[in-house]
Amino acid sequence: MISTEDIIKIASFFSIIAHTPGRLRVRVNPKIKDSGGNITIADIENLPNKIEGIISIKINKIIASVTIMYDPKIFSPKLWEDLIKNQNIEELTQLINRLAKEVI
């Protein structure tokens, strides 16, 4: 199970490669392996099943990138960029908690 705090922690290892409304591609810092705690790749890949508005998450281990497909009507592109920059975290936390399909 992954918490909102875990999502924010994971995002701290991301840097944006490309972002268009509905599609975010990020580079993953290899240090995530050391600091990711007990969060698994399966936990990350399962987020679309847990949070409304996240359509899919594709992880490419070879080039250390993650592509997130999302509904821009639910998650504004600015919110994703704020998450990566660790800004407006309270607003993001409230939104994620409101959109959770089950307790995350």
Side-chain angles (χ1 to χ4, degrees):
M1 195 170 295
I2 192 165
S3 69
T4 303
E5 293 78 21
D6 288 336
I7 293 169
I8 293 165
K9 182 177 181 181
I10 291 167
S12 71
F13 292 95
F14 292 170
S15 57
I16 296 174
I17 298 170
H19 190 196
T20 56
R23 183 179 185 274
L24 173 65
R25 188 160 171 248
V26 295
R27 177 82 52 224
V28 181
N29 184 322
K31 292 180 182 177
I32 195 170
K33 291 179 187 174
D34 303 325
S35 303
N38 58 357
I39 301 163
T40 66
I41 289 175
D43 289 331
I44 296 169
E45 290 175 327
N46 199 34
L47 284 176
N49 298 327
K50 295 184 178 284
I51 302 174
E52 181 182 344
I54 298 178
I55 299 165
S56 67
I57 295 178
K58 182 179 177 188
I59 298 173
N60 186 326
K61 294 181 209 172
I62 296 171
I63 60 172
S65 73
V66 175
T67 302
I68 302 166
M69 302 298 290
Y70 67 93
D71 184 340
K73 294 175 189 147
I74 296 174
F75 286 100
S76 75
K78 181 182 182 316
L79 284 177
W80 286 103
E81 292 174 14
D82 286 350
L83 176 62
I84 303 299
K85 295 175 189 171
N86 200 25
Q87 298 174 345
N88 297 322
I89 297 304
E90 183 62 32
E91 180 183 356
L92 285 163
T93 300
Q94 289 175 8
L95 180 62
I96 290 168
N97 288 335
R98 193 174 71 242
L99 295 172
K101 295 177 183 175
E102 59 181 84
V103 178
I104 60 171

